[in-house]
Every structure is written in C-alpha cells, then in structure tokens.
Amino acid sequence: MASIQQLEDLTTQVRRDILRMVHKVNSGHPGGSLGCAEFFVALYKNIMDRKEGFDMDGIGEDIFFLSNGHISPVYYSVLARSGYFPVEELNTFRLINSRLQGHPTTHENLPGVRIASGSLGQGLSVALGAAQAKKLNGCNHLIYSLHGDGEMQEGQNWEAIMYAAGNKVDNIIATIDLNGQQIDGSTDDVLPMGSFRAKFEAFGWTVVDIENGNSIEDILKGMEKAKSLTGQGKPVCVLLKTVMGHGVDFMMHTHAWHGKAPNDEQLAIGLEQNPETLGDY
C-alpha cells in the first residue's frame, strides 16, 4: 500500500504525462483525464487487488473497465506507472501503429486493457457481464468501472442499471465522474440529469458519495466504504465529484478542454503547476 504522499506524487507525475502526451500530437482529451488522476492512482495503487502480470481472464484479481474511453491519457499513464507496460511507450500516444490509440482498443494487445471503449454507454454492460462471470467462476473479487456524467445520457446505461439490480449483481462498484461538463457545454445545459443518487436508488442500487473526488484521502475512504457494501444483494454506485482539468488552473471548471490540446506556452504553464516528481518519460 502506497502512502498518501506517494500517491500524491504519482498523481502530479500523471498530470505531467497527460499534458505532454496530448501536447505532442496536438490531440486528445486532457480535461476529464486531469480530473480523474487521483481516482486512477488510488484505484490501481491501493484500492484494487491486482496480481502480477496481465491476462484477459483476470481470474483471482479485481478488474477495472473504463467506459468513457476518451480519457485514455490518464488510463495509459497509470497503467504504465503501475508496471503494465514501459513508461517510455507513453511517447507513442496516438501515433500511427501505436498500441496507445486515442481510445483504448484490444487488438494491439496492450496489457491492462480488456475492452475497446470509444462508443459511450457500453462499459457498464460489459462490466456486469464480467461481474456475473466472477460469480459463475466462484471468484470473490470485484469489478470496478468508471463512467462520465455526460455519458449517462446514453440509454444503454439505464438498461444495464436496471438489469444489475434485478439480478442482484452485488460484486460491482460503478463510479460516475461528476464533473458537470461534456463536449458541448455543462451537463445541465446539454441535458439535465437531475439527482443521480435518486435515480440509482430508485433503480435498486446502493449509493456512496465522494464529495471531493480530487482528494486522495477522500477517495480512499469513499471506495473502502463502497467495498464494504458489496456482497449485500445490491450493486454499488459511487458518485465521484471532480473538477474537469483539475491541477491546471486555466483548464479547470470548463468544457473548453474536453478535447483540446495545449499549445507550447500553455504546456509550459501546466507543467510548472505540476513539477516533476517521479521522472518524465
């Protein structure tokens, strides 16, 4: 288990990775990636029970599925810095024939990635299938998934949410990144979703709130609570309140950096705000 300081140092380095990857190819999605940096670091370093190496079956360990695949920069950075593939490979992000495509894919056989997630709304369905497979295999490990709040406007999610409760899939923790922003503006302006807590509870889920999703300590406490609520006949949802673009002041609280790369000057500012901690790739 990593200390809080170690997790925070890694988070800062992950933010540097995100900025540098997106800047190099002038393409990618920094906003949501930056906002979820603490969550990914806490998940892979302290929360999930992971085994050495990687195989697609994931028997005998917890499994994570990223549904909102456009935030691949944070996913790739944390996977690399968790030992799934060389950190230097981050330098190939979004290049032709790279294993690190803009949205995660499986045909390149990138360790850590189990599904192609580019079309929004599908991740929860896949995660539920994996959760039920765990039960059929007699494996007591958990399935984790992450979804964007804008993504929850997709109808397939709600079919899956209904299915999960109806079939008592209680070995899954689905986290919703509540940053209030999506590609065309704030979620309230594009399509107001109302209370996620009320909706999930009405669909038969247990709900846990993490009010500060950019606090390592709050994430660890909230996710431990979520883990304690599994196995009780209900699926578990975590509402993770984050700030899009967190850690880079000019990217915060706006949808403008959903899918926009920083220029040279902006990169320098962002890197200055996130000093090197573990070594750049």
Side-chain angles (χ1 to χ4, degrees), residues 13-207:
Q13 190 64 51
V14 166
R15 286 202 166 92
R16 289 182 65 87
D17 291 347
I18 293 166
L19 293 168
R20 295 179 66 231
M21 279 190 282
V22 174
H23 167 265
K24 178 182 177 181
V25 291
N26 194 32
S27 179
H29 297 79
S33 295
L34 292 167
C36 285
E38 286 89 355
F39 174 77
F40 272 86
V41 166
L43 185 72
Y44 271 86
K45 291 299 183 181
N46 281 34
I47 296 168
M48 285 201 301
D49 181 10
R50 300 184 293 116
K51 63 186 181 183
E52 290 296 319
F54 175 76
D55 61 71
M56 290 295 283
D57 292 332
I59 295 174
E61 64 177 333
D62 294 341
I63 294 177
F64 170 74
F65 293 101
L66 174 64
S67 187
N68 50 329
H70 57 275
I71 64 169
S72 62
V74 64
Y75 192 23
Y76 294 150
S77 172
V78 172
L79 285 177
R81 293 188 179 273
S82 298
Y84 285 91
F85 56 87
V87 174
E88 293 75 18
E89 193 168 350
L90 297 177
N91 201 46
T92 70
F93 176 65
R94 277 187 176 245
L95 297 181
I96 294 175
N97 297 323
S98 169
R99 297 196 296 178
L100 278 60
Q101 291 299 304
H103 294 76
T105 61
T106 53
H107 69 274
E108 289 94 350
N109 299 313
L110 183 67
V113 176
R114 289 189 169 86
I115 62 168
S117 52
S119 182
L120 295 176
Q122 299 179 358
L124 186 55
S125 298
V126 177
L128 289 172
Q132 290 192 302
K134 286 282 189 193
K135 286 179 175 287
L136 289 171
N137 289 332
C139 179
N140 294 323
H141 284 81
L142 298 174
I143 301 296
Y144 293 86
S145 61
L146 179 65
H147 315 264
D149 48 1
E151 178 187 9
M152 299 307 291
Q153 296 161 356
E154 296 275 1
Q156 182 175 342
N157 288 304
W158 299 97
E159 295 179 36
I161 291 164
M162 180 170 56
Y163 176 93
N167 289 275
K168 296 181 172 58
V169 185
D170 59 1
N171 58 338
I172 186 169
I173 300 175
T175 298
I176 314 300
D177 176 22
L178 298 179
N179 61 29
Q181 307 291 333
Q182 59 189 104
I183 190 169
D184 289 327
S186 74
T187 52
D188 283 343
D189 289 339
V190 176
L191 181 62
M193 294 294 292
S195 170
F196 278 101
R197 170 175 279 277
K199 283 181 169 62
F200 271 92
E201 288 181 341
F203 275 70
W205 286 55
T206 298
V207 180

Side-chain angles (χ1 to χ4, degrees), residues 224-245:
E224 283 302 317
K225 180 179 180 181
K227 289 169 68 173
S228 74
L229 294 169
T230 59
Q232 299 181 20
K234 289 185 174 184
V236 178
C237 169
V238 173
L239 300 179
L240 181 77
K241 297 181 181 177
T242 70
V243 174
M244 179 172 273

